[in-house]
Amino acid sequence: MKPARFEYIPPTTLEAAVAALAAANGEGKILAGGQSLLPLLNFRMARPAVLVDLNGMKELSFIELRGENVAIGALTRHREIEHSPLIASRLPVMSAAIRHVAHLAIRNRGTIGGSLSHADPAAELPMMAMFYGASLTVQGPAGRRTIAAKDFFVDALTNCLEPEDIVVEIEFPILQHDGWAFEEVARRFGDFALASIAVSIRRGQFGVGEARVAVMGVADTPLRLEHVEQRLCEIAVDGRTPDRFAEMVTSSVSPNSDVHASAEYRKHLLGELAKRAMQTVLAVKG
Amino acid sequence: MSKDSLAQPADVLRPRHVGAPIKRTEDPRLLTGNGEYTADRKPDRPLHIAFRRSEQPHARIVRIDTAAAQTAPGVVAVLTAEDVADDFKPVIPFSRMANYYATPTLPLASGKVRYVGEAIVAVIATSRYLAEDAVELIEIEFEPLGAVSRSETAVAVDAPLLHEEAGTNVLIAREFRKGDVEADLKGAAVRVGGRFEMTRKAPLAMEPRSYTAEYDARRGAITLYTSSNIPGIVRDAISESLGLPGSRLRVVAPDVGGSFGSKGSLYPEELLICIAARKLGRSLKWTADRLEDVSSSSQAFAEIVDAEMGFDANGIAIALQADVLGDVGAYSIYPWTCGLEPVQVVSFLPGPYKIRSYRGAVRGVATCKPPTGPYRGVGRPISTFVTERLMDLGAKALGLDPIEIRRRNLVRAGEFPYRIASGIIWDKTGFVECLDAAGEAAGYEKLRVRQAEARKDGRLFGIGIASYAELTGIGSRIAVAPGMPINTGSETAKISIDSTGAITAAFGVASHGQGLETTLAQIIADDLGASFEDIRVIQGDSDAVPMSTGTYASRSAVLGGGAAKRASALLRDKIKRVASYLLEANHDDIELSGGKATVIGTDRAVTFRQVAKAVYSDMKTLPAEAREELSASYTYDPINGTTAAATHIVAVEVDPATCFVKIHKYVVAEDCGQIINPMIVDGQVHGGVAQGIGAALFEELVYDEDAQLLSASLVDYMIPSAPDIPDMDVVHIESQSAVAGGFRGMGEGGTIGAPAAIANAIADALSPYDIDVNLLPMNPQRIFGLIEQAKLKAKENPK
Ligand SMILES: Cc1cc2nc3c(=O)[nH]c(=O)nc-3n(C[C@H](O)[C@H](O)[C@H](O)COP(=O)(O)OP(=O)(O)OC[C@H]3O[C@@H](n4cnc5c(N)ncnc54)[C@H](O)[C@@H]3O)c2cc1C
């Protein structure tokens, strides 16, 4: 289980990195934390001719408040997000979600840019990008552009980038909420999720005024359930709301079966998590 | 007169090592990265092997084109079965069993492939990277012959045959019978039964299989370093196969990072690496990557058991019958044969119970999967699962408590030795004592109260019990694997004191994590009167230790320990003889302790070092005839061996939302006889139970209908992680066994008891739904399916 031969380039500027990728003619790959890429290389499921290592570019590693947004550099490690007071206070759902990402050793190396680009359908950060409606700044041969999270995730393990594009930073809009919850079930501590849901609400004059709902592990990409958000604002809030919410959520997904979980079981889990999440959200006084 | 004054003063004063929680002497080197595993060997300019393995489950090999690989950078040789055909004799896993077909072990697939992952071509290159590059250039044309992926389909009349010469896929068939089962079942007050299954499991040692063949051109000799727990068997088999005498074939098992059975058989790669080393006159290295280890090392369980048990009105189990279908994989493994696992299931099904009549039939059938082989517990994890489920079903039908029904059926103190219905003889062991001690340690009555309260709150809380017995340390009267001609009945210890007074104890029994370096030294320290620190235990090197079949079947403490005691006694006599010269005292007045010979009741003493000096380095002190080499060896055979037993009690809760199982309490009461080192015993129980939890809740090698492995990586093959393993209470019933030292084997028991106990606990937790647990692992998705089914059934037939 050894990778096929590749050329290793450690550029020190973004321009040089983009140029190196462009020169590789579609045969180049970015190396960030390596936690997803290296296993793929070792299995020879990925066999890039050129590996462009971003790790020398410390300027890609930051977490900062930028107006109504929190901006995070692509090379920021999971561990830094986990321990950031700024994230804890401004993006509390993300702060809760990041604790479910893998194990300490992996969080020390894995990066947000790598996690989003890898686009695992059961990964927490892509789900958070959907939940918060994040936008990704991408540098390519023609300069910088911005891509909305909902356009970024195309399919399981597939994003919308061109081979010479590099995710540079991600902006997460700060959400106002009166209550939020993040729920996840993984088979073992640190495993990829079997199902997960994130919910937040603002109370309105009658019941829910605004809602956010995102799920993962139950489709080829993480999903934001906008029609469920809308329905939530239309129904009365009472003791039956968690159950009704669970029903709304499960009826809007159709997961696949695999060795870890059948489609029915995943759906069941998602429903249980949705119920639990809504109970938590509503218990919080606005 | 107090009791103590009757004892020898030495017995009172001497610090005892046996029974003491001494820290493992091997740990400092292993924990600081100073161990030496096979892959750590650095022979002169070694070459590296990568295998092209089959992606076909069952196919004829039509053509192999290695031309491009031969000329790839760094490649020194590319070998197929044809290229090595004249370099070895096939190794046959012979057995005297009737109805058994022995498939030969070959270094590379020849003519056809029989499972995905089987090695077909070996590429030998200057680095593993280049070897793997060249593997990709090999082209093989296959003619598919039809996958046989399940044992039920393998026995169908029209199933493709894996070994045409055998004329059937049934490689082994056997039946045990005692009494009139049919009549007893007919007369039974209560009959319970079901179809039980344990799926395939990987032993999954931390260190994957690894081999280094070091070629010595001066002597045309090979030293094979192998991550094996049977280096002696490997040496003899390869010697025979390659026609290399032992003087030119040394086999060494250095530090070995776990086995659990997966390193306890001869492997094709072990043969190939020696063949290639001799052919090329070069040293070679190969270490399995995790994918190779999971998909080509021997696997475990894979049995379906249709079983039925009959009870009389008093809850006495009177009859048991079972039909076992074992999916043994593509080959019969050397030396144990494919009978090892499934035949032991029928041997052990009656368990520790006095069941009057029995019929147990077994078939081991070939499928397109890696061979099954020894795995911690062999046969008994599933036999215990089945029998203990039947006991609980019986208790339920009769309205008896699960502890009570076991108490009524266990062999009791006065009844040993007891021959159970399958013919196995249990020697005196604390069966009932374990049951009672486990019940007490678990606070069984209180647990039931807690359960009743939990049920009131609608919680799914369950309690599970499993009692079992196993044969350990068996001697020459019983073959470890049925009908197998290898001597598994004795072990030799060779203990010597060198001219510096240091003690070297050489054992054939190998160590792959059990702590034998420590426990064997503890025994010698006591029995020789040596200082523990002066003793070095060496193992696993055919040039340095006596011939041995290795460590397996919970034998090494009993056989190695017995040999250590007897060899110590012989050497002790020699030391005393010299000391009596030196101290001018009577032989009988000398006692040995702490590395010193002392005249009892005086302060006159000589150290072992002085004794050694007098024997080896000094011409004056001793007459020539008294200068006997300070060395002794003894071959110990426990003849029948001994029994070990335990009861496990576990309390679990099933979360109806996630269908996850949480273990609230885990208690083991076990009888391993005289404990040598309680820390090591506890560690073995903890590790064994952890593996049993894996078997009960997590681990499964999933093969699809095309016999492709779907769980080949550790992402998909789930093992329990630390948070999944609960704290355990371990209670020891130290009843002395009949063998030397009173020891019993105990390394496998945890894995035997845990799956059954957990299965019973889950069934108990799910009893509000009236759900039977008859398949392991009970993972959340299966529990979900069972609950859904039960709900549906309840809806269809409302009470
Ligand atoms: C045992 C294990 C368990 C795990 N469990 C979880 C889990 O529970 N949840 C979870 O979310 N993740 C989990 N992970 C994945 C982990 O979070 C990874 O760190 C993450 O998915 C990838 O980040 P990375 O920085 O390591 O990326 P890399 O492995 O370096 O790269 C991944 C991919 O992204 C591309 N890439 C990287 N950076 C950029 C960029 N800036 N622009 C464009 N493309 C880029 C690479 O070319 C590559 O294709 C687990 C990993 C392991 C090994």
Side-chain angles (χ1 to χ4, degrees):
Chain A
M1 211 181 279
K2 306 287 184 205
R5 196 179 181 81
F6 57 81
E7 192 190 341
Y8 172 79
I9 302 180
T12 50
T13 65
L14 267 177
E15 290 69 26
V18 172
L21 285 171
N25 264 326
E27 296 287 303
K29 268 249 166 241
I30 292 163
L31 174 66
Q35 300 303 293
S36 298
L37 183 58
L38 291 192
L40 290 175
L41 292 181
N42 289 342
F43 277 113
R44 299 196 175 204
M45 282 166 16
R47 36 195 327 154
V50 176
L51 218 52
V52 178
D53 186 350
L54 293 190
N55 285 278
M57 284 180 262
K58 300 290 169 248
E59 65 276 18
L60 291 185
S61 175
F62 60 85
I63 301 173
E64 64 186 37
L65 189 61
R66 218 181 261 168
E68 296 300 298
N69 296 306
V70 176
I72 305 177
L75 204 63
T76 307
R77 313 283 164 182
H78 302 334
R79 188 88 177 132
E80 295 168 87
I81 293 177
E82 185 182 350
H83 287 274
S84 159
L86 184 63
I87 302 269
S89 62
R90 305 302 169 102
L91 305 175
V93 188
M94 172 124 115
S95 196
I98 196 81
R99 282 161 227 285
H100 293 262
V101 177
H103 311 275
L104 186 61
I106 295 162
R107 291 199 298 273
N108 274 334
R109 291 211 144 257
T111 67
I112 185 167
S115 178
L116 296 185
S117 305
H118 189 61
D120 192 298
E124 286 79 4
L125 290 175
M127 177 204 194
M128 285 300 106
M130 291 299 288
F131 178 78
Y132 280 103
S135 51
L136 295 85
T137 302
V138 171
Q139 178 131 346
R144 288 196 177 202
R145 64 188 195 281
T146 305
I147 302 173
K150 67 175 167 39
D151 301 322
F152 185 79
F153 304 106
V154 177
D155 205 342
L157 306 178
T158 311
N159 61 40
C160 72
L161 297 181
E162 297 300 325
E164 45 284 326
D165 287 339
I166 299 174
V167 176
V168 178
E169 61 172 48
I170 307 97
E171 278 193 354
F172 289 84
I174 295 166
L175 265 182
Q176 303 302 322
H177 36 59
D178 299 316
W180 61 269
F182 177 86
E183 292 286 346
E184 170 171 329
V185 179
R187 184 71 180 90
R188 295 168 305 189
F189 186 81
D191 278 348
F192 280 103
L194 293 174
S196 176
I197 186 166
V199 185
S200 78
I201 58 159
R202 292 206 76 179
R203 286 183 182 272
Q205 225 172 338
F206 319 95
V208 176
E210 269 170 50
R212 258 317 147 84
V213 182
V215 296
M216 65 132 162
V218 289
D220 291 336
T221 64
L223 301 174
R224 189 171 148 195
L225 304 179
E226 283 174 78
H227 58 285
V228 174
E229 295 171 358
Q230 204 154 8
R231 287 272 291 129
L232 261 180
C233 300
E234 294 160 9
I235 62 171
V237 172
D238 56 25
R240 282 172 28 242
T241 307
D243 282 327
R244 291 184 66 186
F245 175 62
E247 170 61 31
M248 285 183 233
V249 168
T250 52
S251 61
S252 46
V253 298
S254 43
N256 292 324
S257 293
D258 60 24
V259 284
H260 299 297
S262 63
E264 299 74 40
Y265 176 54
R266 275 188 202 274
K267 220 168 172 164
H268 162 83
L269 284 178
L270 185 65
E272 293 292 333
L273 296 180
K275 191 161 67 181
R276 207 182 283 170
M278 189 47 68
Q279 281 162 349
T280 309
V281 166
L282 295 178
V284 176
K285 285 278 166 294
Chain B
M1 202 188 287
S2 84
K3 218 171 147 217
D4 273 353
S5 60
L6 277 176
Q8 292 285 319
D11 286 341
V12 181
L13 298 176
R14 191 192 303 152
R16 296 266 303 168
H17 292 88
V18 167
I22 293 172
K23 282 192 184 166
R24 304 195 337 159
T25 45
E26 45 272 81
D27 282 348
R29 85 167 179 271
L30 298 177
L31 296 178
T32 56
N34 286 301
E36 189 188 55
Y37 297 88
T38 295
D40 293 325
R41 293 295 306 171
K42 293 192 177 58
D44 186 28
R45 285 161 297 147
L47 298 175
H48 299 261
I49 306 178
F51 290 97
R52 166 67 196 268
R53 293 179 180 275
S54 177
E55 69 274 6
Q56 292 281 332
H58 188 198
R60 199 166 68 81
I61 302 170
V62 181
R63 186 181 59 90
I64 304 178
D65 183 350
T66 62
Q70 309 241 15
T71 57
V75 171
V76 173
V78 180
L79 301 176
T80 63
E82 210 170 297
D83 299 320
V84 298
D86 299 331
D87 297 319
F88 71 99
K89 283 192 309 209
V91 181
I92 313 290
F94 181 78
S95 165
R96 287 183 297 271
M97 279 184 296
N99 304 316
Y100 164 64
Y101 179 80
T103 65
T105 302
L106 305 175
L108 293 165
S110 173
K112 69 187 235 178
V113 290
R114 295 180 177 87
Y115 66 90
V116 174
E118 185 172 3
I120 307 171
V121 186
V123 173
I124 298 165
T126 50
S127 85
R128 177 72 173 253
Y129 289 84
L130 295 173
E132 290 193 16
D133 287 349
V135 161
E136 294 191 318
L137 303 175
I138 295 167
E139 275 180 39
I140 303 179
E141 192 185 317
F142 292 105
E143 178 195 328
L145 297 171
V148 180
S149 72
R150 287 186 297 123
S151 51
E152 296 108 309
T153 50
V155 293
V157 275
D158 56 346
L161 294 181
L162 267 77
H163 300 274
E164 290 86 357
E165 322 79 61
T168 168
N169 283 329
V170 180
L171 298 183
I172 168 75
R174 266 191 109 166
E175 192 172 62
F176 292 66
R177 253 177 196 285
K178 183 177 178 251
D180 191 344
V181 185
E182 288 76 15
D184 282 345
L185 280 174
K186 227 174 255 160
V190 163
R191 291 167 73 158
V192 294
R195 160 167 273 219
F196 301 91
E197 179 173 357
M198 271 173 96
T199 59
R200 254 178 192 252
K201 188 174 181 306
L204 213 78
M206 187 124 58
E207 178 205 25
R209 287 192 291 122
S210 180
Y211 311 122
T212 298
E214 304 189 3
Y215 188 75
D216 176 352
R218 285 163 304 196
R219 297 195 300 120
I222 294 172
T223 300
L224 173 69
Y225 283 81
T226 170
S227 61
S228 177
N229 51 285
I230 53 161
I233 290 177
V234 168
R235 208 278 293 265
D236 288 6
I238 295 179
S239 164
E240 172 96 23
S241 175
L242 271 67
L244 259 183
S247 53
R248 283 165 54 214
L249 178 65
R250 174 181 167 208
V251 172
V252 183
D255 285 327
V256 176
S259 163
F260 311 115
S262 67
K263 295 167 181 166
S265 303
L266 176 77
Y267 280 95
E269 295 92 343
E270 260 168 326
L271 273 179
L272 187 275
I273 200 167
C274 294
I275 292 169
R278 179 169 68 176
K279 214 174 171 69
L280 303 175
R282 293 287 299 268
S283 294
L284 300 173
K285 296 188 73 165
W286 176 75
T287 299
D289 55 42
R290 187 57 70 187
L291 178 63
E292 286 180 298
D293 198 57
V294 171
S295 60
S296 72
S297 295
S298 67
Q299 302 179 343
F301 305 156
E303 281 129 345
I304 298 169
V305 183
D306 285 297
E308 188 176 16
M309 199 182 266
F311 295 85
D312 70 13
N314 293 322
I316 305 298
I318 49 174
L320 171 64
Q321 69 169 347
D323 290 281
V324 177
L325 191 59
D327 160 2
V328 299
Y331 296 95
S332 180
I333 208 158
Y334 185 89
W336 314 111
T337 81
C338 61
L340 179 74
E341 163 77 23
V343 174
Q344 300 232 17
V345 178
V346 275
S347 299
F348 286 96
L349 265 170
Y353 302 117
K354 298 175 285 185
I355 302 167
R356 171 165 90 205
S357 61
Y358 177 56
R359 183 186 68 79
V362 54
R363 282 176 299 166
V365 301
T367 59
C368 299
K369 298 173 194 167
T372 55
Y375 173 71
R376 198 175 195 174
V378 184
R380 288 153 297 188
I382 178 155
S383 71
T384 305
F385 167 53
V386 172
T387 303
E388 292 304 284
R389 283 297 298 130
L390 293 172
M391 276 290 157
D392 266 23
L393 292 173
K396 198 170 169 184
L398 288 153
L400 283 174
D401 184 274
I403 287 206
E404 180 54 28
I405 197 162
R406 287 174 173 80
R407 186 176 290 114
R408 288 185 193 181
N409 286 286
L410 286 170
V411 181
R412 311 192 137 263
E415 298 167 337
F416 295 103
Y418 188 92
R419 179 190 287 271
I420 56 169
S422 58
I424 285 171
I425 299 172
W426 299 133
D427 82 359
K428 189 165 182 298
T429 313
F431 290 1
V432 180
E433 293 78 355
C434 285
L435 180 72
D436 289 341
E440 191 178 330
Y444 184 72
E445 309 296 329
K446 277 209 199 96
L447 268 185
R448 287 286 175 204
V449 173
R450 194 169 149 197
Q451 176 179 39
E453 280 163 9
R455 286 241 168 105
K456 264 187 241 150
D457 299 339
R459 286 162 53 205
L460 303 171
F461 188 100
I463 301 164
I465 301 170
S467 292
Y468 68 85
E470 55 169 335
L471 285 180
T472 68
I474 54 186
S476 55
R477 194 154 291 166
I478 308 163
V480 161
M484 194 193 56
I486 286 178
N487 168 18
T488 52
S490 61
E491 278 300 335
T492 305
K494 184 168 193 287
I495 310 177
S496 34
I497 302 184
D498 69 14
S499 54
T500 69
I503 301 162
T504 302
F507 288 89
V509 290
S511 195
H512 44 284
Q514 291 86 348
L516 287 164
E517 274 174 52
T518 309
T519 46
L520 293 173
Q522 285 178 263
I523 295 170
I524 295 168
D526 282 358
D527 283 46
L528 196 58
S531 136
F532 180 74
E533 292 71 27
D534 287 347
I535 302 165
R536 178 178 176 224
V537 170
I538 57 173
Q539 299 174 281
D541 178 347
S542 66
D543 269 9
V545 304
M547 171 52 199
S548 156
T549 49
T551 287
Y552 50 85
S554 297
R555 69 195 294 270
S556 291
V558 174
L559 277 76
K565 288 186 83 70
R566 299 284 153 83
S568 294
L570 294 176
L571 184 53
R572 200 180 157 81
D573 258 1
K574 285 192 177 178
I575 298 169
K576 276 194 183 180
R577 276 203 290 276
V578 177
S580 69
Y581 266 106
L582 301 180
L583 296 167
E584 292 174 346
N586 222 322
H587 184 278
D588 294 340
D589 293 338
I590 292 174
E591 70 112 6
L592 308 186
S593 169
K596 271 199 310 211
T598 311
V599 181
I600 297 173
T602 74
D603 56 3
R604 281 168 43 225
V606 284
T607 62
F608 283 12
R609 196 160 156 208
Q610 289 167 311
V611 169
K613 229 177 145 109
V615 169
Y616 296 113
S617 316
D618 170 348
M619 295 195 288
K620 299 233 169 64
T621 316
L622 295 174
E625 69 273 14
R627 294 205 293 269
E628 256 185 305
E629 194 193 12
L630 294 172
S631 152
S633 92
Y634 189 91
T635 300
Y636 177 67
D637 177 350
I639 313 294
N640 284 320
T642 179
T643 303
T647 294
H648 292 213
I649 297 186
V650 56
V652 307
E653 185 163 356
V654 178
D655 177 346
T658 60
C659 302
F660 281 30
V661 174
K662 177 158 177 53
I663 298 176
H664 285 302
K665 192 175 200 67
Y666 206 108
V667 172
V668 178
E670 60 91 43
D671 182 1
C672 73
Q674 168 68 52
I675 288 178
I676 301 169
N677 185 326
M679 247 190 323
I680 288 179
V681 166
D682 282 349
Q684 289 288 325
V685 174
H686 296 161
V689 169
Q691 273 191 315
I693 289 172
L697 301 176
F698 290 89
E699 299 179 43
E700 180 171 1
L701 289 164
V702 182
Y703 282 86
D704 69 10
E705 288 298 309
D706 297 322
Q708 295 283 345
L709 178 57
L710 302 183
S711 53
S713 82
L714 294 185
V715 174
D716 295 322
Y717 186 82
M718 294 248 160
I719 57 169
S721 58
D724 303 306
I725 305 302
D727 284 340
M728 296 166 216
D729 295 325
V730 186
V731 184
H732 306 288
I733 311 292
E734 278 188 87
S735 77
Q736 302 277 320
S737 76
V739 303
F743 310 134
R744 304 175 192 273
M746 59 75 49
E748 299 177 86
T751 319
I752 298 172
I758 294 169
N760 277 340
I762 296 173
D764 189 37
L766 297 180
S767 58
Y769 292 108
D770 201 18
I771 285 173
D772 253 3
V773 173
N774 45 20
L775 176 82
L776 295 179
M778 256 304 130
N779 57 32
Q781 133 162 276
R782 289 208 170 100
I783 291 177
F784 170 73
L786 288 173
I787 294 179
E788 288 301 295
Q789 262 175 29
K791 282 182 181 162
L792 209 66
K793 219 166 85 187
K795 226 187 254 167
E796 281 165 5
N797 324 300
K799 286 205 177 124

